[in-house]
């Protein structure tokens, strides 16, 4: 199937009206809807937005490829929108997107459709095609350009079968993204093009929506110098046991192909320690590289827990509007509605967070059969007072118990396969997890959690300040990454354990980077471009809302100056919040909960303001003036 059977004159918009990501998505969804390609416009739009939440589809080089595979699509289609001025699409390289291709795939899209959709992604990696599309004057010219460069499947296969030989040794790669439509193939194409340029022999396996293509053979793996796995979903990993394996997100394959290829040639990567037997990741619980699995499983739990934390935490904060004791019957300030809010947000939503954390950790390890044992183990940890630490143990325990059960029951007759997910895995998984949690885990972990809480409560002011400095600084190191999430998770654990001091430093530290950058763009205008100053205004809102990620585009563009400035400011704010002995009973919400949930609201606000000013001043000193814009 040709790409232009999916991209037609009726799904092309040569002049996008908006320069903002959300509005452009709305424009192109409307184009598809008006062309009769959608069953449910709002459902498809929601699917596209949910894909954007995983990672921006603004891939750089002036391109964005929003996409979704959903039942809301009537028939597979591509919409194209062009913006001469550029769209702020949160691209990987921080540059505006001028070419936006929206891909709509049906849930039951056949391989022919998916291959055409995927082929578009690889075409856009070529600079000459992008230039022609930017200069085209009509819809017909756009169609002609695509047709001119669109190879059929047979030509592609022939190209794959004749890789360039190299004395440097052969490199293998695997690419995969959650939807398997765009990023999978763009990463593969970027790696192949760069390898050709460098004179390196490479073979790339793609794990797309239409299945595995160009699969790696056992002999090729045996002969390979190293393997690059650029993936945001589980791929078969145990086959790489004993080989140097580089594991990165799929976007790294698009943006940093040369760096990855050179790293592979040097074998600058750990040797992968698989589980043996060649089982696929989907079957044995996400086989991962050294150290990578733990973090991915943990982040799966944390990311799914966060909605409960945010929603529940803000409801608890709102309940304090009537007074800090308004939820307690018998208190003069008691208010029934405040008590209801506190019950919904605290007793129920926040009461579920440890179970949800454990459930999704287990599910990340063992797929869906791990979910129920993980939830039960996490709930048992909550009931026993073992808290977050107990929940973490429950999640990993349940996940690997189910992985073991899969191996144990692998020899059963095939006729019993239907009983495994509905009877055997939940029955034995819940039983074994529950027994171990009850008799082995809960009591000692509760003792540890109680000891940690008492230790924190007994710290003097000096030690509290040091702790606040460390926790606040951690929030700014990677601004939403693993270090930031580690500090945030610790703060939630302390709130759950009844100690409200650490999280005050954490939220202060998380608010400072976007606020400090916003202040810098306001008071040091000559150090920032017009686009940066406009983004700085948005950072005021993001900072006040405790969304640290607002600082990421600035940090990515100038990490040597921005990241240290943010760390110092965040550390100052965290340290001051502990110096003033501020406590915070809501885990999220920023300025919107500050006056309801802290014991020293004004001093807390002062801590955040001082930290933001410190960041702004350092940025003002370190950054160089930008050229005057005409």
């Amino acid at each position: 199937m040709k790409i232009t059977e999916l991209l037609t004159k009726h799904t092309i918009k040569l002049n996008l009206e908006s320069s903002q990501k959300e509005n452009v998505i709305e424009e192109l969804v409307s184009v598809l809807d008006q062309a009769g390609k959608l069953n449910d416009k709002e459902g498809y739009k929601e699917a596209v937005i949910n894909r954007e939440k995983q990672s921006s589809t603004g891939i750089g080089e002036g391109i964005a490829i929003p996409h979704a595979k959903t039942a809301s699509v009537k028939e597979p289609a591509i919409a194209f929108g062009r913006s001469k001025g550029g769209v702020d699409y949160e691209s990987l390289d921080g540059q505006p997107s001028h070419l936006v291709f929206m891909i709509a795939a049906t849930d039951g899209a056949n391989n022919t459709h998916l291959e055409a959709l995927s082929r578009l992604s690889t075409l856009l990696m070529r600079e000459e095609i992008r230039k022609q599309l930017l200069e085209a004057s009509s819809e017909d010219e756009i169609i002609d350009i695509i047709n001119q460069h669109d190879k059929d499947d047979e030509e592609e296969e022939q190209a794959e079968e004749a890789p360039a030989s190299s004395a440097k040794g052969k490199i293998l790669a695997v690419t995969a993204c959650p939807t398997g439509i765009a990023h999978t193939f763009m990463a593969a194409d970027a790696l192949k093009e760069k390898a050709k340029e460098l004179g390196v022999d490479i073979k790339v396996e793609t794990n797309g929506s239409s299945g595995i293509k160009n699969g790696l053979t056992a002999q090729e793996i045996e002969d390979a110098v190293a393997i690059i796995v650029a993936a945001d979903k589980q791929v078969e990993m145990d086959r790489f046991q004993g080989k140097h394996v580089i594991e990165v997100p799929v976007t790294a394959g698009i943006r940093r192909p040369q760096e990855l290829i050179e790293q592979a040639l040097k074998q600058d990567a750990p040797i992968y320690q698989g589980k043996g037997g060649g089982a696929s990741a989907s079957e044995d619980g996400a086989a991962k590289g050294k150290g990578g699995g733990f973090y991915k499983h943990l982040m799966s739990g944390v990311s799914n827990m966060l909605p409960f934390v945010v929603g529940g935490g803000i409801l608890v904060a709102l309940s304090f509007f009537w007074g800090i004791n308004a939820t307690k019957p018998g208190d003069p300030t008691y208010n029934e509605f405040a008590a209801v809010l506190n019950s919904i947000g605290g007793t129920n939503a926040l009461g579920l967070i440890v179970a949800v954390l454990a459930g999704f950790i287990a599910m990340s390890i063992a797929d869906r059969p791990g979910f129920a044992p993980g939830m039960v183990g996490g709930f048992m940890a909550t009931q026993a007072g073992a808290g977050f630490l107990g929940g973490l143990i429950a999640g990993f325990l349940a996940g690997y118990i189910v992985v073991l059960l899969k191996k144990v029951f692998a020899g059963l007759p095939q006729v019993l396969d239907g009983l495994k997910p509905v009877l055997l895995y939940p029955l034995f998984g819940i039983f074994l997890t529950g027994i171990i949690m009850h008799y082995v885990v809960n009591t000692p972990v509760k003792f540890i959690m109680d000891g940690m809480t008492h230790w924190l409560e007994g710290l003097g002011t000096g030690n509290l300040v040091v702790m606040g400095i460390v926790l606040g600084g951690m929030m700014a190191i990677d601004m939403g990454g693993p270090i930031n999430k580690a500090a945030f998770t610790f703060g939630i654990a302390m709130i759950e354990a009844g100690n409200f001091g650490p999280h005050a430093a954490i939220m202060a530290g998380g608010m400072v980077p976007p606020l400090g950058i916003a202040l810098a763009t306001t008071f040091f205008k000559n150090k920032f471009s017009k686009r940066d100053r406009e983004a700085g205004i948005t950072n005021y809102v993001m900072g006040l809302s405790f969304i640290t990620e607002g600082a990421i585009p600035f940090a990515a563009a100038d990490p040597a100056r921005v990241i240290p400035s943010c760390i110092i400011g965040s550390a100052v704010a965290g340290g001051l919040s502990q110096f003033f002995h501020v406590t915070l009973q809501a885990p999220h919400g920023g300025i919107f909960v500050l006056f309801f949930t802290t014991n020293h609201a004004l001093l807390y606000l002062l801590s955040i303001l001082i930290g933001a000013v410190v960041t702004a001043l350092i940025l003002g000193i370190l950054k160089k003036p930008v050229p005057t814009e005409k």
Side-chain angles (χ1 to χ4, degrees), residues 117-245:
L117 294 171
S118 305
R119 213 158 56 244
L120 170 68
S121 306
T122 62
L123 291 182
L124 294 175
M125 294 305 295
R126 295 166 57 181
E127 185 178 356
E128 70 271 20
I129 297 177
R130 299 196 299 269
K131 183 178 179 182
Q132 290 173 15
L133 292 173
L134 277 172
E135 295 173 352
S137 58
S138 67
E139 290 87 348
D140 286 328
E141 194 172 344
I142 295 289
I143 298 294
D144 289 341
I145 292 167
I146 298 295
N147 278 331
Q148 179 185 348
H149 297 283
D150 186 15
K151 293 180 181 179
D152 61 27
D153 296 337
E154 186 178 342
E155 289 176 304
E156 287 190 315
E157 287 174 8
Q158 288 173 353
E160 288 290 350
E161 289 170 1
S165 59
S166 170
K168 300 176 182 179
K170 186 166 187 173
I171 294 172
L172 303 180
V174 179
T175 63
C177 70
T179 52
I181 295 174
H183 288 60
T184 298
F185 300 93
M186 299 190 81
D189 201 53
L191 287 165
K192 288 185 285 187
E193 288 293 324
K194 186 56 67 174
K196 182 178 179 182
E197 180 184 319
L198 297 173
V200 175
D201 189 356
I202 192 170
K203 179 178 179 180
V204 185
E205 171 187 295
T206 54
N207 285 231
S209 290
S210 56
I212 295 175
K213 282 198 148 190
N214 208 31
L216 308 178
T217 67
Q219 188 60 52
E220 287 170 334
I221 294 170
E222 177 66 27
D223 297 339
V225 174
I227 295 100
I228 300 167
V229 178
D232 288 337
K233 71 173 187 178
Q234 295 174 0
V235 298
E236 186 181 344
M237 292 293 294
D238 270 1
R239 52 189 167 152
F240 303 139
Q241 185 173 359
K243 306 297 294 186
H244 293 276
V245 177

Side-chain angles (χ1 to χ4, degrees), residues 44-60:
Y44 175 68
K45 178 182 173 182
E46 182 181 356
V48 171
I49 291 172
N50 287 338
R51 172 61 187 88
E52 293 295 325
K53 290 178 181 177
Q54 296 178 36
S55 62
S56 175
T57 57
I59 60 168

Side-chain angles (χ1 to χ4, degrees), residues 272-297:
Y272 183 74
Q273 303 294 332
K275 298 178 183 178
S280 70
S282 61
E283 293 173 347
D284 68 10
K288 300 291 177 187
K290 207 170 188 177
F294 175 84
Y295 172 70
K296 289 185 178 180
H297 301 323

Side-chain angles (χ1 to χ4, degrees), residues 307-317 319 338-353 587:
F308 294 84
V309 172
V310 175
I314 292 177
L315 287 176
V316 169
S319 74
V340 171
L341 287 178
N342 186 269
S343 175
I344 295 170
T347 307
N348 294 286
L350 294 182
L352 284 171
I353 59 177

Side-chain angles (χ1 to χ4, degrees), residues 444-468:
V445 172
K446 181 180 185 300
F447 178 78
I448 293 171
M449 291 296 294
D450 289 345
M452 183 182 296
T453 302
H454 294 321
W455 174 72
L456 288 172
E457 290 172 347
L459 287 177
T461 299
N463 289 329
L464 280 174
V465 170
V466 172
M467 181 184 68

